[in-house]
Amino acid sequence: MPAGEPSASRSMESHDLFSDGPVVLIVWRHAPGWPVEMATPNITELLGYQPSELLAPSFRFRDIIHPDDLFLLEKEVRSHLASKAPQFERVYRIRSKNGVYRWIRDDNRPVYGPTGFVERIRAWIWDYTPLKQAEAELARQRSRLEEVQSLARLGHWEANLLTGNLWWSETIYDIFGQDPRTFTPSVEAFNQALHPEDVPLVRESEARAMETGRHDIEHRIILPTGEVRWVHELATSEKDEQGRLVRLMGTIQDITERKQAGLALAESSCHTQAILDNVIDGIITIDQERIVTSLNRAAERIFGYSAEEVLGQNVNMLMPEPYHSEHDGYVTTYMKTGATKIIGIGREVEAQRKNGEVFPMELAVSEITRNSAKMFIGVVRDITERKRMERMKNEFVATVSHELRTPLTSISGPIGLLLGGALGEIPEAARRMLEVAHKNSQRLGALINDLLDMEKIAAGKMCFEIRTQEATPLVEQAIQLGQPQADLRRVILALGRRGEGTLIRVDGQRLLQVLTNFLSNAVKFTPKEGTVRVDVLEHEDMVRIQVNDDGPGIPKDFQERIFEKFSQADSSTTRAQSGTGLGLAIAKELTEKMGGRIGFKSEEGRGATFYVDLPRMKKET
Amino acid sequence: MRTLQKILYVEDEPDIQAVARVALEMVGGFTLEICSSGQEALESAKVFHPDLILLDVMMPGMDGLTTMRKLRDQPGMAAVPMVFMTAKVQPEEVQEYLAQGAKGVIAKPFDPMKLSEEVRAIWEQDHG
């Protein structure tokens, strides 16, 4: 178009290739405001303006350019024209007729006049909005990816093997503690960051990757600050059509936290295992199929098997017959009905070592649920040695009691014969001395019996035949047994409240032992011709049998020790009142073993009341 | 009913032998033969023909239970009641003596004035 010929009509008439299609041709004069000289009709399609509107003298193209883009645009134009550029491109926004800004791109060709000045500019412009939107979307996606990678502490990298170019995503810089503005990634830089101890590991994985095409390794890196981080690297390669390796791509994830948590967990589990391995008791776990799932060192030692020999096997391999065959049945029954002889109870059982030896073992089983499956934990203790000690102790006690009784027989026998007149009359003074000797040999005999009782109770070997029975006949029997001693001191034994029909659950013989001890004490401490009264009462939900005397009562400072072994109020009492000092201690043990309580009430100088409270049974209807 | 007259007593302790001799001969009026070991008793029983045998349990050499079994195997001894007189009188021990065939158990230390009565009671129970 020749210069200086502004003509809308001419442009309208000249239908050339640009009058329609996506590219609009505009010509404007290089003058303030950039007045438009010509526009192809398809401008209407692009911006909504009629070409005639643009050609109006009042219209200035500059006015519809987005204010944010204008400054840059003007600067660009000045710079291009100053450098006499034959062509330049721009991207900017124009306000279309409906007020909406559209991105456009133009290709400008300045037209120079004969004097060398720019007269006008021809521009081909087209709609750049979709591309611009795609660009923005891409940028958004990239930033989202960076964000996700940064959150996941996961970066990615690419190496172009043809150019030797290595590219890192932002997160990798972050993981390696490097600044993207100053640091250039390189294989050397990566190798330098590798933890020296992990170098062989990484090289090995890389060598493997040459064959498998896949690099997958966890290793440590050292940051410029000296900080050590754990990373997980995954990489793969790309080949071209000729099968040449052209590109490597991979991810690096910072797994320091997970690794530390894992290491802490491993450490804690190691710690737990160390404890389990160092306890003296064997610990064995089995699943509901009775398969051994774990056992500690002590269990290996006790049974003589190594863990490998037992793990995965049925636990009955550790049991002798008949338990070996019956065990599956116990567990099945338990799973079905919950009936158990052992869970939560603990008991002595027989077990079998690898060498076939059967040995006594204490077993406690507890049940836990893991991953919704039942699991049983058995704690076992080899009690062979304890049993042997028990046997030795029993033998010792039996021997000692025999060894004590034999000379006692030789002492009490002759005294008994002399006092009984078997060897003729003896003088009164001698008789009194013999009576002292007789009384004390009797006491020694009682002491031996009490010691044996104490030992049996302590060893848990005293058997109790506990059954439900009436209290009254037992009390009557106790009174009968105490009568001779009471007669000697002319003390009256009275049965007050009889509690007729009251049922208790006791071992009758043991209760008699307790009651005769009460009566014997009461008679001893009651003044001559005094009264000892026995009552059977209901006390709370128990049955109380009490023995009351008119004696001096129990000194306050002795009350605390009264049920202790070998305790007697004072030496003078000891002398006057023979006794072993074990009677009440035994009575207390016996009572408690029968599920009862023992106690007393006393005020010094006002007698004493000893009682046992025993489990009461409901009368049968 | 046959009366109890001849008692064979097997006891290794001389002091207790002495007490038992007074208790059974002087107080009880029995004819007593005392042996100091099971072995001696096996010999003595053949000639003494006791009506009843009293045995200690713990004795050097042959113990009371073995002595009882061997005595019983001798001709004419099967029906002779055997009674243990011992300091080993824990309930399970007493059960064992009776299970082995003893007719009674007398605990040591015994009351020498009542020993004869006790022995006689056991005899009567056995022959009752």
Side-chain angles (χ1 to χ4, degrees), chain A residues 204-370:
Chain A
E204 206 178 294
S205 173
E206 282 170 351
R208 251 199 324 274
M210 295 306 283
E211 289 166 31
T212 62
R214 197 175 157 79
H215 176 56
D216 183 349
I217 185 80
E218 288 182 4
H219 65 80
R220 285 164 294 177
I221 55 168
I222 302 176
L223 274 54
T225 57
E227 186 190 334
V228 174
R229 283 185 179 165
W230 275 95
V231 296
H232 180 204
E233 266 200 88
L234 276 174
T236 179
S237 58
E238 196 177 274
K239 290 176 181 168
D240 66 5
E241 292 79 11
Q242 283 82 45
R244 285 182 305 172
L245 215 53
V246 291
R247 216 155 64 101
L248 297 177
M249 291 147 296
T251 58
I252 294 182
Q253 186 169 21
D254 181 355
I255 55 166
T256 311
E257 256 177 56
R258 193 186 78 200
K259 204 75 186 175
Q260 276 166 350
L263 287 174
L265 191 66
E267 211 166 273
S268 138
S269 133
C270 196
H271 177 75
T272 308
Q273 191 59 46
I275 292 172
L276 288 180
D277 281 340
N278 282 293
V279 293
I280 292 163
D281 290 340
I283 300 172
I284 301 171
T285 59
I286 64 168
D287 63 16
Q288 31 190 0
E289 304 304 319
R290 307 167 292 281
I291 300 301
V292 176
T293 50
S294 75
L295 73 162
N296 69 346
R297 292 250 170 78
E300 290 181 283
R301 201 174 52 241
I302 290 171
F303 289 97
Y305 284 105
S306 68
E308 296 79 59
E309 292 174 293
V310 182
L311 289 173
Q313 304 291 320
N314 190 320
V315 72
N316 69 7
M317 74 184 287
L318 306 175
M319 304 168 189
E321 289 297 355
Y323 316 106
H324 177 85
S325 307
E326 290 170 0
H327 185 256
D328 284 5
Y330 303 155
V331 179
T332 311
T333 307
Y334 173 70
M335 298 296 290
K336 260 190 238 153
T337 67
T340 178
K341 290 184 198 162
I342 201 139
I343 291 169
I345 301 166
R347 56 188 287 211
E348 286 178 16
V349 297
E350 285 188 336
Q352 189 163 27
R353 293 188 227 276
K354 187 182 180 183
N355 64 12
E357 184 194 336
V358 174
F359 66 100
M361 184 179 85
E362 210 167 59
L363 171 65
V365 179
S366 47
E367 180 189 329
I368 60 168
T369 303
R370 206 164 103 179

Side-chain angles (χ1 to χ4, degrees), chain A residues 398-399 401-403 405-406 408-410 412-414 416-417 420-423 445 452 456, chain B residues 13 15-16 19 22-23 26-27 56 58 86-91 93 108-110 112-113:
Chain A
T399 306
S401 81
H402 177 263
E403 294 306 318
R405 277 170 175 154
T406 300
L408 185 61
T409 307
S410 302
S412 66
L417 289 169
L423 300 164
L452 272 176
K456 271 196 269 183
Chain B
E13 194 70 39
D15 290 349
I16 298 178
V19 175
V22 175
M26 294 181 68
V27 179
D56 186 16
M58 294 247 297
T86 175
K88 286 172 70 70
V89 285
Q90 301 213 46
E93 291 167 337
K108 283 179 186 167
F110 55 88
M113 294 308 291

